[in-house]
Amino acid sequence: MITLYDADRCPYCARVRIVLAEKRVPYETVVIDLSDRPSWLYEKNPAGRVPVLEEDGFCLPESAVIMELIEERFPDPPLLSLEPAERALARLAIWRFDGDFSSDYYAARRGEDGADERFAARLAGLEAQLVERPYLSGGAYGLADIAWFPWLPRAEAYLGLDLDAYPATRDWLDRLAERPPIAAELELAAALAA
Ligand SMILES: N[C@@H](CCC(=O)N[C@@H](CS)C(=O)NCC(=O)O)C(=O)O
């Protein structure tokens, strides 16, 4: 049985929950209280962070790597294109996510000077990508969309993001929300913000 060391509010964990749900992989969850982390978590991930995936004593941290492991272990339904260039674009979008998006999201959450403007520029960058193509790595939904998605409902809830200013992003989110694993995460994000 696969175990996910998880926290509801963690968007990196949400990535892994979505991929597991898309693949219909059974797993058990161990919920970690991030404000009072158990010391044994450091044995599973020296960084002390979630998510961590464990199976038969093998522990893997880092959501981007966990998503790819699940994709390789459970190829159906595919969440990476069979086309090498699209696979590379998906990996590029995931690789660049922290620098291109989340660092300014977290800076805005901390209320740093100028961060709201920098985060708005990041949203404009996402919008520009989604004007060009329906999904982040091309023509089909996949790992790149899953990797970026969890921060959007949190930005709406905690930073007052108004998607009216970003119609292609809203349209992308509306299409994602038709998928049950994404709809479940939207419900969870709404409950956490309530
Ligand atoms: N790069 C990591 C980031 C994971 C991460 O930052 N998780 C947060 C929760 S959202 C965490 O465990 N924070 C505790 C800490 O930073 O000490 C990943 O992609 O899995």
Side-chain angles (χ1 to χ4, degrees):
M1 175 61 90
I2 288 175
T3 301
L4 175 64
Y5 298 89
D6 189 22
D8 281 356
R9 71 174 166 85
C10 171
Y12 295 97
C13 293
R15 289 173 162 184
V16 177
R17 293 191 296 261
I18 294 166
V19 176
L20 287 166
E22 290 284 2
K23 307 276 186 183
R24 298 180 189 273
V25 176
Y27 68 100
E28 60 182 21
T29 297
V30 175
V31 175
I32 301 295
D33 177 355
L34 290 173
S35 57
D36 184 19
R37 268 168 289 178
S39 55
W40 51 256
L41 183 62
Y42 291 85
E43 289 161 26
K44 303 193 181 290
N45 176 7
R49 293 182 171 177
V50 289
V52 178
L53 197 82
E54 182 172 28
E55 188 177 21
D56 295 333
F58 171 68
C59 288
L60 189 67
E62 291 300 332
S63 58
V65 183
I66 295 171
M67 288 194 297
E68 286 231 21
L69 172 74
I70 300 165
E71 176 67 15
E72 291 187 358
R73 285 275 323 275
F74 307 97
D76 283 323
L79 293 172
L80 272 177
S81 170
L82 296 178
E83 165 61 37
E86 284 207 356
R87 291 170 85 84
L89 277 182
R91 292 187 171 112
L92 187 62
I94 297 167
W95 180 263
R96 288 188 166 162
F97 173 76
D98 284 336
D100 280 2
F101 200 81
S102 72
S103 56
D104 286 323
Y105 165 85
Y106 288 113
R109 290 285 306 270
R110 290 190 296 270
E112 288 179 14
D113 276 354
D116 286 346
E117 292 73 15
R118 292 201 306 277
F119 185 55
R122 298 305 187 182
L123 288 160
L126 174 62
E127 176 75 7
Q129 291 187 63
L130 291 166
V131 165
E132 290 294 316
R133 48 183 182 262
Y135 294 97
L136 287 175
S137 56
Y141 166 78
L143 291 188
D145 306 289
I146 294 169
W148 281 63
F149 154 76
W151 282 262
L152 274 301
R154 287 164 175 79
E156 287 183 281
Y158 304 125
L159 295 175
L161 165 62
D162 180 357
L163 285 171
D164 285 349
Y166 306 97
T169 305
R170 180 189 286 287
D171 180 61
W172 171 72
L173 279 172
D174 287 347
R175 279 179 281 118
L176 296 191
E178 289 168 14
R179 308 187 70 88
I182 299 274
E185 287 297 330
L186 286 169
E187 266 182 37
L188 180 59
L192 290 169

